[in-house]
Amino acid sequence: MPSLAGNGRRGGNRALSAPRLRVDSPERAGLDPGELRLLVRDVRAAVERGWAAGAVVVAGRGPVVAVEEATGWAVRYARYDEETGTGVELPPDARVPMTVDTPFDLASLTKLFTAVAAVQQLERGTLGIDARVGAYLPDFTGAAAHGVTVRQLLTHTSGLRPELPLYDAADAAGRLALLRAEEPVGAPGTYCYSDLNMLLLQHLLQRLTGCPLDVLIHGCVTRPLGMTATGFGPCPEAAATEDQRRPWGKADRGMLRGVVHDENAWALGGVAGHAGMFSTGRDLAVFCRALLTGGSYGPARILGPDYVELMLTAPGLGFAVDQPWFMGELAGRGAAGHGGFTGTSLVLDPATGVFLVLLANTVHPRRRPPDNTVRATAATRLHRAVRPL
């Protein structure tokens, strides 16, 4: 086992019972209410100008949820009209308003849960961080032949390309054959964000534990934390995503709600290491709180503090660290988090104990080039809200 790259500064070697989240005033959290009002105003304005059909924002510090707001629509459009380049709105009485309890397709935020499940195995000593993937998956000949390691999967430095067109394979056997044969295209150690890293990690964890990934994450992460609104789909009450059709999509599936948006995760049956989970803002705030307290929430413990620190210390294991493009001014001090293609993101800052969950259905009714300004601005507002406790 390598050095944990830490000295216990985020909680020492012992995880204690951590207070659960409660809703309270910004002042009780050591946050400036004026900045938080601006944060909510900015998100509402972004939805009104068409950044997303709707959004939910949850923010706080320590055990306090100081912001929990919803705006816009969970379902607004019936389809996308490619001739006019606009969404065809549902009648007002058929639309579904956004609420703070609306679940979202998390897209790549799923990777964080896969990463936690992997780091749990590191802590238990059943998985080596610098062990070769081929030692666990010898039939994945592409990765095995190139000596890809567990650390490289978790840090996106395996050299694997961003994705494979698994959705075009004829059947499950064909999809698995593509994954098993896939070889790195880049030099090992070179960063290249890739869904394939988490797909290989999924297969490794399943081979190692004998559990499907959805069962593993439920049993080891979401159930202990009481995250009852979090899991792999289907999730019928979720916010709608896309009228998914070619040429902008990679499959012809129509308007999606409650089923995974990502085409590869869909082709894999909805359970994948890189995408497929659904959750709410409050549940993700619990996830953030557990990590900020060194792996504990209430009486539950999912990781020890040193292993949480290993995940959140640059370059991060599964987590992105200090990325201003979506963390704004929270970046540069050890903030960690992730974004998702459907419009989801979360950021947590161990230095101040703040967390921000911003969920939006930006791909409803159709995907567009991402605009991360809203995410970055919200994180900056939260950073500027921090006051001495």
Side-chain angles (χ1 to χ4, degrees), residues 138-144 164 173 175-183 200 203 207:
D139 49 325
F140 281 63
T141 55
L164 276 170
R175 290 186 280 275
L176 184 57
L178 285 172
L179 274 177
R180 285 175 169 169
E182 181 69 8
E183 297 185 6
L200 264 63
H203 282 276
R207 187 78 56 87

Side-chain angles (χ1 to χ4, degrees), residues 110 202 213-214 231-234 253 259-278:
T110 301
Q202 173 188 1
L213 184 65
D214 55 342
F232 286 92
R253 301 167 63 201
V259 293
V260 63
H261 173 270
D262 182 90
E263 293 92 342
N264 272 342
W266 164 70
L268 294 168
V271 177
H274 71 289
M277 293 185 72
F278 292 78

Side-chain angles (χ1 to χ4, degrees), residues 216-229:
L216 185 64
I217 289 176
H218 175 72
C220 296
V221 185
T222 59
R223 182 168 57 84
L225 295 179
M227 297 174 64
T228 57

Side-chain angles (χ1 to χ4, degrees), residues 92-108:
D93 60 353
R95 300 174 198 169
V96 179
M98 193 70 76
T99 75
V100 294
D101 297 317
T102 300
F104 284 76
D105 180 334
L106 296 185
S108 285

Side-chain angles (χ1 to χ4, degrees), residues 99-160:
T99 75
V100 294
D101 297 317
T102 300
F104 284 76
D105 180 334
L106 296 185
S108 285
L109 294 192
T110 301
K111 293 179 172 75
L112 302 183
F113 292 88
T114 304
V116 169
V119 175
Q120 286 177 331
Q121 298 304 314
L122 300 182
E123 184 177 31
R124 293 168 186 171
T126 55
L127 183 63
I129 192 168
D130 289 311
R132 297 190 174 195
V133 172
Y136 303 92
L137 298 173
D139 49 325
F140 281 63
T141 55
H146 289 264
V148 172
T149 69
V150 172
R151 186 189 296 273
Q152 288 171 347
L153 296 182
L154 284 164
T155 57
H156 295 283
T157 56
S158 65
L160 292 168

Side-chain angles (χ1 to χ4, degrees), residues 165-175 178:
L166 302 177
Y167 44 82
D168 282 338
D171 52 27
R175 290 186 280 275
L178 285 172

